[in-house]
Amino acid sequence: MTVEDTNICDLETANDLLDRLTLRQLHLMEEKMCRELNIESTINNGCFHLAKSRYIMGQTSVSKERLPTESSIEFSASTMCETVEEAGETKLKIVENDKDTVNPMHWFGILVPQNLHKARNIFQNALNFVVECANIQIQLLENFKNINVLRKYKHHLKSVE
Amino acid sequence: MALQAAVKGKLISVIGDEDTCVGFLLGGIGEINKNRHPNFMVVDKNTPVSEIEDCFKRFTKRDDIDIVLINQNIAELIRHVIDAHMAPVPAVLEIPSKDHPYDASKDSILRRAKGMFNPDDLSMFGAENYTT
């Protein structure tokens, strides 16, 4: 096998790999859009229940005025995410934290309507979709990087011919 | 102390309108750290664009934040800053709000991914093989 034959083989392999990565890119883009639409419908549902809570409790009762500010006491988030390695891929995963946390429902009063509990559950579910979407986005960017490297290699092979 | 630090995960931050921030904070992602820095910002019609930019840059520079959620209509105001953010982590996710549905054509990541498809590369034998 001559050097030229090796180069042609390498070029064919590179083209084949580029095709696969490009198809994967298209699939990932579609998956990201689907996840975003899931987030959209979940957020809309959650906002509906927030609006109902506001209707029951009053306009300022479920608003940014009730949220903690920089002058509030410090507290930790109860829902966080961590990086794990799965099958050679970096992924994010939701983790629960129970150290130095507060119950966010307490910002809005002691006796809150069921709609606010429902809204909390819906937004907690939305966080799962958010992390899924973030994982797809990380894979998209990694794939994009690989395609660029392969394109440069392909141009190098073509210039050697 | 080191074991506790290793067990704790990283934060999900949010830059959004009132309902988005209230909702996700109800979900439990809110934090005020020991430096009195929150991981969320409520944006309304009076919030200056410079403040949104500064907040976004602060969140992306923090090493304890893995995901930055931002409403897409707010992301449009600081599009140039978001486009300049190339690192995969923290992941910047443009999310819709109740008033502004998701528009894939405005998403920075999808625009970047779509931009790599050159029509000449995708033609069957390459544009150079077609003569008119």
Side-chain angles (χ1 to χ4, degrees), chain A:
Chain A
M1 205 169 183
T2 64
V3 170
E4 283 168 1
D5 289 340
T6 315
N7 277 347
I8 289 169
C9 271
D10 281 347
L11 194 58
E12 277 178 16
T13 311
N15 280 335
D16 187 44
L17 202 49
L18 255 179
D19 285 345
R20 286 169 201 251
L21 290 180
T22 306
L23 276 172
R24 181 171 150 78
Q25 190 78 340
L26 291 169
H27 284 307
L28 286 172
M29 283 165 72
E30 189 184 355
E31 273 187 58
K32 179 170 154 69
M33 285 189 263
C34 284
R35 294 297 187 280
E36 290 277 4
L37 292 175
N38 285 344
I39 293 171
E40 181 176 338
S41 63
T42 312
I43 284 178
N44 286 344
N45 199 8
C47 288
F48 172 71
H49 286 282
L50 283 179
K52 274 188 135 176
S53 306
R54 210 170 273 137
Y55 178 72
I56 295 167
M57 295 169 71
Q59 188 64 29
T60 56
S61 55
V62 183
S63 70
K64 62 182 181 187
E65 275 89 37
R66 296 300 187 106
L67 296 180
T69 61
E70 278 149 7
S71 50
S72 311
I73 51 163
E74 59 188 78
F75 62 93
S76 295
S78 52
T79 305
M80 307 177 91
C81 63
E82 63 174 8
T83 310
V84 295
E85 291 285 330
E86 259 179 40
E89 278 179 355
T90 307
K91 282 188 172 180
L92 295 170
K93 204 177 78 166
I94 293 260
V95 290
E96 298 297 326
N97 171 43
D98 52 10
K99 193 171 161 33
D100 301 326
T101 60
V102 298
N103 184 350
M105 302 293 276
H106 292 162
W107 298 330
F108 304 101
I110 304 297
L111 286 173
V112 293
Q114 278 303 312
N115 291 109
L116 202 61
H117 289 277
K118 184 82 181 145
R120 180 185 59 175
N121 292 341
I122 289 171
F123 276 100
Q124 280 174 340
N125 197 25
L127 286 170
N128 291 324
F129 290 133
V130 157
V131 168
E132 276 178 27
C133 197
N135 284 333
I136 289 169
Q137 193 164 288
I138 290 171
Q139 286 177 51
L140 244 177
L141 290 172
E142 183 66 29
N143 202 50
F144 187 51
K145 200 173 73 172
N146 292 339
I147 288 175
N148 282 337
V149 164
L150 206 50
R151 273 189 178 161
K152 283 181 185 151
Y153 178 61
K154 180 181 159 180
H155 286 141
H156 163 74
L157 283 176
K158 277 188 167 177
S159 62
V160 160
E161 276 178 14

